[in-house]
Amino acid sequence: MLQQLLEPTPLPPSIKANRIPSGSDTYNEVLDFLYDEAEMLDNLRLGEWAELLTKDLEYNAPLRHTRSTSQFDQTYSRNVQHLHENYGSMLMRVKRITDTKSAWGEDPPSRIKRLVTNVRVYRIDDSDDLKVESYLLLTRSRFDFDYFDLIPCVRHDILRREDGALKLARREILLDQVVIGTPNLGVIL
Amino acid sequence: MDRKSNPKLSDGTLLSDLINLETREVKMRALSDPELFELEMERIFAKTWVFLGHETEIPNKGDFVVRDMGSDSVLMARGADGEVHVSLNVCPHRGMKISTHDVGNTMTHVCIYHGWAFKPNGDFIGAPVEKECMHGKMMTKQELGLKKARVAIYGGLVFATWNIEGPSFEDFLGDAKWYFDTLWCRTDKGMEVLGPPQRFTIRANWKTACEQSASDGFHVLTLHRWLSEVGPYRKPGSEGGGGDLTPEMYGTEVYTAHAHTMRCIELDRKIRRLTGKDPSELSIKEKLEALPPPGITPEMLPEVLRRFSDDQLRVMAWRPPQVGNFFPNGLFEFVYIPSPDGVIGVMALHAYVPKGPDKLEFVNWILAEKDTPPELKAKMLRLGVQLLGTSGMVEQDDSDTWPHQTLAAKGAVSKHITMKYQSMYENNRLEGWPGPGDVGDGFTKDDTQWRWWEYWYELMTAEN
């Protein structure tokens, strides 16, 4: 009971037979969606980005543990997570940055590149939604620091067509680091 | 009785040169000097009780997590006896780390280097090829166990110390216990973690986080101003709307001999808002029913009322500890967050683990009472994640501040300027305040943080 309440809805599986081939119209549309999204976020067009979200959004980033090879599938924890968001809380995160003068964690803002690769698109059985897996390497430069904070992750998204346009309905962010190597996840992944 | 020492740094600077006890100033250099860091690890983290986690993280025999006591990795494990044991996570054979996992379950911790094996309680089981006796005959098996720390469990929290013959945990808590009981020991079944802790790295000295954790109220007004701009503390239209966190600064601040401190923020405004009544006309029970402590429902209240003295209940209904620290590196939050679903309590615990003079690991646990209904637990967890820890909208601002202080501590000039703690309570004792310890009443001040530095200095200059 508690686990069900604490944990996000399980994502549908990525079934090989449902793979939408690279280069197809749908694949290209998804790719454009991800590229455009990255551009909006990199350029602080957060209000515009928020319009890409569905009202039933689930947006999560599980914790990770170092465990043995045989326990590789047990390295994620989805009760306490780094991000555990819904539509309302994501809008609050956006508003904190766009509507206040004191979101110091990102003011002045980091210079960020969201490098999106390894994109795979799947049809979902009994649904018109698309499941999209992608790699994201976020590079974050803060102040005059001469190093970059790197946030590599895999994203499992559910995209849904609403009024003809693709929207983000689910995102699960699987981070590589057990101990996150940047002072906060005040940036959108 | 401790003899006093005054450590001298290699350039001749005395520790006493870095702190002015009269004017309540600390030189920036103290924040991130590498020699001081080594001393801190020996004189503070290897001496006091250090918070490591919660016993509900390891409910079953053989369960373990790997944690840090200062700069040392330790195994926190539940043994065959059902008790929690803490041992140095270093093989007594050649110094290899025993467990390279974060979490797991085993009754036999086997070092991957030469195969020496240990029980969850740290006892040496043996080495491979028993008949050839790899460990020799000069030392007994009893002597070859993992180095064991002394453990105390309090309200489910696990503390440990290397100071085997040192002060008891109760002595360490001192006057703070009267208050801490109202946080950690509120129900018969006790609390539980809602999952493993979040962990992330900040390039800042541990003391930047920890001196703030000693109940710095002032920073909230500026650094966390967003809370009143668009966040949950934006005042309702009936109170004028807009952003002003000043009302959250009033209450009582408590600071104790061992630098455990807390801000007991007044609930009267929230209770007035919830009930439409003057809180002074309500009984303690009525106030607690209107605004129960975080994680407590009105149905759970009779148990809470039974467990505490009238004086403690008065504080819980009026000015409960909401944020504070346990020395040296723990922070707790028991906050009441206004939300569309009413006021939701959030309970979180942080450890700021020192990782060298210029780096700390922020470890964040989110908790609830075991008896808290699952729906409420889920709400508490979500709000906790949204406001605190890795992505927390409140604490991401802190995490961006501490690195700048750490850098400033290295400037040839700026390392000599001082951090000042000169805002002082003038009335030290509120008439009729029922709790022990040093107490300040009214608008937040610096006394709690100054106590943190006083005790830091006391430990750093103590010589056994």
Side-chain angles (χ1 to χ4, degrees):
Chain A
M1 167 73 169
L2 180 59
Q3 284 313 95
Q4 282 172 8
L5 285 166
L6 294 185
E7 294 190 4
T9 318
L11 280 158
S14 302
I15 299 167
K16 200 169 181 187
N18 288 354
R19 178 86 180 267
I20 293 176
S22 309
S24 63
D25 287 348
T26 304
Y27 182 90
N28 289 345
E29 193 184 358
V30 167
L31 209 56
D32 285 344
F33 177 91
L34 296 177
Y35 288 167
D36 291 349
E37 183 197 18
E39 184 194 1
M40 283 176 205
L41 292 172
D42 287 354
N43 292 290
L44 302 181
R45 284 152 48 201
L46 300 181
E48 205 178 321
W49 177 77
E51 290 172 13
L52 300 178
L53 308 175
T54 66
K55 301 287 188 294
D56 62 346
L57 176 75
E58 286 186 64
Y59 184 101
N60 303 291
L63 301 186
R64 198 88 190 251
H65 288 127
T66 303
R67 307 194 73 163
S68 67
T69 309
S70 62
Q71 298 166 316
F72 192 65
D73 59 346
Q74 297 169 44
T75 62
Y76 294 107
S77 162
R78 290 183 171 82
N79 37 25
V80 172
Q81 307 187 73
H82 290 296
L83 286 153
H84 192 156
E85 308 300 311
N86 54 28
Y87 182 70
S89 69
M90 281 315 285
L91 284 198
M92 177 60 85
R93 287 179 184 275
V94 167
K95 255 172 76 174
R96 186 182 110 88
I97 293 175
T98 57
D99 292 12
T100 78
K101 294 191 171 82
S102 46
W104 307 119
E106 267 299 306
D107 190 2
S110 308
R111 273 89 42 195
I112 289 177
K113 292 290 165 290
R114 291 171 176 80
L115 309 174
V116 183
T117 69
N118 300 49
V119 178
R120 287 139 292 151
V121 183
Y122 298 87
R123 278 183 292 104
I124 301 170
D125 288 339
D126 308 319
S127 168
D128 294 329
D129 295 351
L130 297 168
K131 182 174 181 193
V132 179
E133 299 187 8
S134 63
Y135 284 13
L136 175 71
L137 176 62
L138 186 149
T139 65
R140 184 184 200 186
S141 171
R142 221 102 179 79
F143 305 110
D144 55 356
F145 301 158
D146 60 357
Y147 54 81
F148 288 91
D149 288 348
L150 302 178
I151 312 176
C153 55
V154 176
R155 298 182 304 181
H156 291 186
D157 297 343
I158 301 292
L159 299 187
R160 182 180 307 148
R161 199 173 295 282
E162 282 186 1
D163 304 325
L166 289 176
K167 296 227 171 164
L168 183 66
R170 284 282 314 265
R171 173 162 287 168
E172 182 170 79
I173 299 144
L174 303 170
L175 296 149
D176 284 348
Q177 280 179 311
V178 167
V179 182
I180 304 298
T182 191
N184 58 63
L185 288 181
V187 295
I188 292 168
L189 294 160
Chain B
M1 190 64 190
D2 287 346
R3 201 156 52 80
K4 286 289 170 194
S5 73
N6 192 1
K8 188 187 277 188
L9 304 179
S10 52
D11 69 349
T13 303
L14 293 168
L15 186 60
S16 57
D17 297 334
L18 298 177
I19 185 164
N20 188 326
L21 298 171
E22 297 300 314
T23 59
R24 314 217 301 183
E25 295 176 88
V26 182
K27 283 197 175 172
M28 288 297 287
R29 178 176 176 180
L31 273 187
S32 105
D33 186 279
E35 290 176 67
L36 279 183
F37 181 83
E38 293 305 320
L39 276 175
E40 287 166 347
M41 293 306 105
E42 292 164 15
R43 296 188 172 205
I44 297 175
F45 283 89
K47 285 282 166 61
T48 64
W49 290 89
V50 178
F51 166 66
L52 294 179
H54 199 269
E55 63 169 345
T56 55
E57 294 181 80
I58 47 170
N60 305 308
K61 289 177 184 178
D63 284 352
F64 72 91
V65 290
V66 170
R67 291 285 145 81
D68 296 287
M69 279 173 74
S71 49
D72 293 302
S73 174
V74 294
L75 277 171
M76 174 177 129
R78 196 173 289 275
D81 56 359
E83 301 296 318
V84 174
H85 299 269
V86 174
S87 321
L88 198 63
N89 187 19
V90 176
C91 185
H93 181 216
R94 297 284 159 79
M96 172 63 187
K97 192 173 186 178
I98 295 286
S99 181
T100 54
H101 299 182
D102 296 321
V103 56
N105 177 289
T106 181
M107 295 310 287
T108 313
H109 291 272
V110 181
C111 179
I112 61 164
Y113 195 5
H114 299 93
W116 287 31
F118 304 88
K119 294 180 186 172
N121 70 2
D123 285 348
F124 182 46
I125 298 169
V129 204
E130 179 84 26
K131 67 182 170 65
E132 299 297 342
C133 204
M134 191 202 293
H135 49 86
K137 292 173 183 167
M138 297 172 75
M139 294 177 89
T140 65
K141 279 193 168 182
Q142 283 72 29
E143 291 172 294
L144 292 171
L146 303 181
K147 183 176 172 63
K148 296 181 186 185
R150 182 176 162 206
V151 177
I153 311 278
Y154 168 71
L157 307 174
V158 180
F159 291 81
T161 180
W162 300 116
N163 199 357
I164 305 300
E165 304 297 329
S168 69
F169 181 73
E170 286 67 30
D171 181 72
F172 172 70
L173 278 191
D175 286 337
K177 185 175 185 301
W178 189 90
Y179 302 94
F180 285 1
D181 284 353
T182 69
L183 301 174
W184 307 107
C185 310
R186 296 184 309 206
T187 61
D188 296 342
K189 283 195 192 157
M191 292 171 63
E192 65 181 6
V193 293
L194 294 180
Q198 299 175 333
R199 299 167 65 195
F200 56 106
T201 294
I202 301 175
R203 295 184 200 224
N205 182 273
W206 69 279
K207 295 193 296 304
T208 59
C210 291
E211 64 91 46
Q212 188 209 75
S213 77
S215 303
D216 178 7
F218 288 122
H219 84 285
V220 179
L221 286 174
T222 304
L223 190 68
H224 301 317
R225 192 173 61 211
W226 80 275
L227 280 168
S228 62
E229 291 181 294
V230 298
Y233 286 91
R234 186 177 163 77
K235 284 193 290 183
S238 59
E239 292 175 27
D244 178 16
L245 287 166
T246 311
E248 305 296 330
M249 298 299 113
Y250 286 94
T252 299
E253 291 181 332
V254 178
Y255 42 114
T256 65
H258 296 155
H260 312 303
T261 76
M262 61 209 92
R263 294 181 61 214
C264 306
I265 304 167
E266 191 154 300
L267 296 178
D268 283 359
R269 278 183 331 122
K270 285 193 174 74
I271 291 172
R272 187 176 289 116
R273 208 180 281 166
L274 287 165
T275 62
K277 291 179 183 161
D278 181 351
S280 65
E281 290 169 4
L282 298 173
S283 69
I284 287 171
K285 183 163 173 278
E286 285 168 331
K287 286 202 263 192
L288 287 169
E289 280 166 354
L291 186 56
I296 303 287
T297 59
E299 294 72 33
M300 294 161 71
L301 259 187
E303 182 180 327
V304 176
L305 294 171
R306 174 168 49 73
R307 291 177 65 90
F308 294 105
S309 69
D310 288 348
D311 282 346
Q312 283 170 309
L313 290 169
R314 187 168 154 237
V315 167
M316 293 166 84
W318 170 39
R319 291 180 175 181
Q322 294 194 36
V323 291
N325 74 307
F326 20 79
F327 191 91
N329 68 331
L331 172 141
F332 57 83
E333 303 182 65
F334 283 73
V335 286
Y336 302 70
I337 306 293
S339 88
D341 293 338
V343 176
I344 303 288
V346 171
M347 311 198 293
L349 250 172
H350 304 340
Y352 300 117
V353 178
K355 293 278 178 180
D358 303 329
K359 195 150 89 170
L360 68 86
E361 183 180 316
F362 190 135
V363 189
N364 175 33
W365 292 260
I366 297 174
L367 306 103
E369 299 293 338
K370 282 181 187 160
D371 282 339
T372 302
E375 296 80 5
L376 180 55
K377 279 181 185 166
K379 284 178 187 168
M380 293 168 73
L381 173 61
R382 272 183 177 257
L383 262 182
V385 168
Q386 286 157 15
L387 295 174
L388 311 175
T390 329
S391 71
M393 286 184 279
V394 176
E395 292 184 332
Q396 53 182 269
D397 294 333
D398 295 305
S399 69
D400 217 33
T401 302
W402 301 325
H404 289 294
Q405 290 176 285
T406 304
L407 287 170
K410 297 178 184 307
V413 176
S414 57
K415 74 180 178 187
H416 295 298
I417 73 153
T418 60
M419 298 184 286
K420 297 164 190 70
Y421 301 86
Q422 296 166 339
S423 169
M424 296 166 68
Y425 282 110
E426 287 167 15
N427 296 312
N428 260 20
R429 185 102 209 152
L430 173 63
E431 193 67 37
W433 178 261
D438 290 313
V439 174
D441 171 58
F443 201 75
T444 186
K445 295 283 182 292
D446 290 334
D447 297 77
T448 53
Q449 287 183 275
W450 182 245
R451 176 59 49 82
W452 193 93
W453 281 109
E454 285 179 321
Y455 191 53
W456 173 87
Y457 185 66
E458 183 181 324
L459 292 181
M460 291 288 279
T461 53
E463 197 173 280
N464 289 319

